Amino acid sequence: MNNHCLKFDAIIETPFSRLGLQFQEGLLCTVEYLKLDVELKASNHPDALNVIEQIERYSKNAQYCFDIKLSTKGTVFQQKVWQEMCSIPAGEVKTYGEVAAILSSSPRAVGNACRANPVPLIIPCHRIVSAAGIGGFAGATTGYFTDIKRQLLCHEGLVF
């Protein structure tokens, strides 16, 4: 059993990547994009099954709206950025600068809050992009994680 299996309560397959899911007192607290070679881990816990079912629904229909109880820890500013992310409908994006203007902040601070998002996909940080293109994702500006962001946006009808 690898370290990923020990950390997560479930590891599931999606069209975009494998996802590690972690729960705390019945609330989803972590979603992590994992490489495709990470071992899957099933869960029969009702909270996990509900989240997995909702992720499957989103995978089939980009317009699906999650209704998942979360335990997200972050600063007041991060919480505001995450709330703003949740207001962006599937198939639409805002730039780091647009979100920064709404929150009277800076694009870099918004990017840092995106990177700190503990439950990506559920809180859709992939819908925040750079004014010059796709921007970063999960702390990366190229490679596997930006490919996931591109796939998620494509799933929602956008091309980057």
Side-chain angles (χ1 to χ4, degrees):
M1 186 173 279
N2 61 33
N3 289 339
H4 290 296
C5 284
L6 299 174
K7 177 179 178 181
F8 296 109
D9 298 305
I11 299 175
I12 64 169
E13 183 79 43
T14 74
F16 319 106
S17 76
R18 296 212 167 163
L19 289 179
L21 307 175
Q22 191 174 31
F23 295 84
Q24 188 173 49
E25 298 176 11
L27 304 175
L28 182 64
C29 63
T30 304
V31 173
E32 191 172 311
Y33 291 100
L34 304 170
K35 301 279 182 157
L36 296 175
D37 61 353
V38 171
E39 185 179 334
L40 296 172
K41 181 179 180 181
S43 175
N44 291 324
H45 193 278
D47 296 316
L49 294 175
N50 175 48
V51 170
I52 292 166
E53 180 183 327
Q54 290 193 51
I55 291 171
E56 288 172 352
R57 287 182 183 178
Y58 169 81
S59 296
K60 294 175 185 169
N61 174 9
Q63 299 302 314
Y64 180 79
C65 294
F66 293 108
D67 182 20
I68 296 173
K69 294 179 181 172
L70 304 174
S71 173
T72 54
K73 294 182 174 110
T75 67
V76 171
F77 176 74
Q78 288 170 338
Q79 296 282 347
K80 288 179 182 178
V81 172
W82 301 339
Q83 186 175 16
E84 186 61 32
M85 287 179 202
C86 290
S87 75
I88 305 169
E92 294 182 25
V93 295
K94 287 185 181 176
T95 66
Y96 298 102
E98 289 171 329
V99 174
I102 291 166
L103 300 176
S104 300
S105 184
S106 73
R108 184 175 303 271
V110 171
N112 287 336
C114 289
R115 186 176 306 118
N117 177 5
V119 288
L121 185 62
I122 311 307
I123 296 178
C125 51
H126 61 277
R127 296 180 189 150
I128 308 288
V129 298
S130 165
I134 196 166
F137 194 61
T141 56
T142 62
Y144 181 70
F145 293 112
T146 54
D147 289 345
I148 292 170
K149 182 175 184 175
R150 192 171 278 107
Q151 289 176 49
L152 290 167
L153 292 171
C154 182
H155 175 61
E156 294 183 4
L158 301 168
V159 178
F160 276 86

